[in-house]
Amino acid sequence: SSAASLSVSGASDLGANVSTTGAQTYTGAVTLSGADRTLTTTNSAVTFSGTLNSESGQNRALTLALGTGQATFGGAVGGSQALGAVGITGTLDLNAAISGAASLTVSGASDLGANVTTTGAQTYKGAVTLEADTVLSSSSGGDITFMTTVDGAQALEVKTSGVTIFTSNVGGSAPLKSLITDEPGSVRVGANSIKTTGLQTFNDAVDLDADVVFESTGQGDITFNGAVNGAHSLTVNTSGVTTFKQSIGA
């Protein structure tokens, strides 16, 4: 049966899965060893206050099955040895960078206070709130998908040669400071509104899956360096400069 809770003050070498009904707290450095690892709670939190790495020479996957609980990362993840796929059923509070994981999937809301770099896909199924300027990168062209809203008065940069997907409004309740996407790759916008206080720069092609308003409330330039396509209306609202570098609706 599951333990009630687990709290470790020093370093932890996790060579087995851990299941508790209550919270799990790892204050010291954590290493995943032996195989992929699953940490399970009954709607309770798992907190990593220190660093989190895979054992040397391996990329161990981490599954956090928390129900409605929250996963908190307070130290660097994968800084010395990257993890495999990271899957979180629950919410995410990210306060230190995730580096080199195979992928990241979060079922609930995500508070992003640090950068995320994966080799593959990143999927944020719940609402995303930016707590700091954030760069989300996939080094091998994985899709980066936002399935609900993105908010927060911070800068967001998305870097992948895959597809960046905005399914719901960006900056609707709290406009972003700025938004930049890189090339190559493409951006799919199924939202009705992309709102920032500063600039918006789309360095790759943009495909419209809905009628969209791109707006900068603070005179930021809005620049489309790639082609823009889609059988939907496009509205740009800014007192800054709007630039289209390639074809529209070709």
Side-chain angles (χ1 to χ4, degrees):
S1 62
S2 299
S5 62
L6 175 65
S7 181
V8 183
S9 64
S12 299
D13 188 334
L14 298 183
N17 299 331
V18 180
S19 181
T20 58
T21 54
Q24 298 177 32
T25 303
Y26 302 91
T27 302
V30 173
T31 302
L32 307 181
S33 64
D36 298 340
R37 293 294 162 224
T38 299
L39 307 183
T40 304
T41 72
T42 304
N43 301 320
S44 295
V46 170
T47 301
F48 301 95
S49 298
T51 59
L52 173 60
N53 291 285
S54 185
E55 63 183 317
S56 180
Q58 301 293 328
N59 303 111
R60 303 301 187 190
L62 176 63
T63 299
L64 301 177
L66 313 182
T68 58
Q70 178 172 276
T72 299
F73 297 96
V77 179
S80 61
Q81 182 64 44
L83 275 58
V86 177
I88 300 170
T89 301
T91 62
L92 170 63
D93 181 14
L94 182 66
N95 300 301
I98 296 176
S99 301
S103 62
L104 174 64
T105 303
V106 185
S107 71
S110 295
D111 284 355
L112 301 182
N115 299 335
V116 178
T117 302
T118 56
T119 56
Q122 297 178 32
T123 304
Y124 302 92
K125 295 183 178 181
V128 171
T129 301
L130 303 179
E131 303 292 352
D133 293 348
T134 302
V135 180
L136 305 179
S137 305
S138 173
S139 60
S140 295
D143 294 347
I144 298 181
T145 303
F146 304 92
M147 295 183 68
T148 54
T149 56
V150 182
D151 288 289
Q154 309 291 339
L156 175 62
E157 184 172 1
V158 184
K159 302 171 69 175
T160 181
S161 58
V163 184
T164 299
I165 302 170
F166 296 103
T167 304
S168 295
N169 290 346
V170 176
S173 61
L176 276 56
K177 184 164 63 177
S178 61
L179 175 62
I180 299 173
T181 69
D182 77 339
E183 61 173 343
S186 64
V187 178
R188 284 178 53 192
V189 182
N192 297 121
S193 174
I194 306 289
K195 185 182 292 186
T196 57
T197 56
L199 64 81
Q200 297 179 31
T201 303
F202 301 93
N203 286 308
D204 37 15
V206 174
D207 296 314
L208 305 181
D209 290 338
D211 297 343
V212 186
V213 178
F214 296 87
E215 180 178 1
S216 172
T217 61
Q219 302 180 358
D221 295 345
I222 297 180
T223 303
F224 300 89
N225 284 321
V228 181
N229 290 291
H232 296 277
S233 66
L234 167 64
T235 303
V236 180
N237 289 335
T238 183
S239 56
V241 179
T242 300
T243 303
F244 295 98
K245 293 286 186 70
Q246 296 192 34
S247 60
I248 302 174

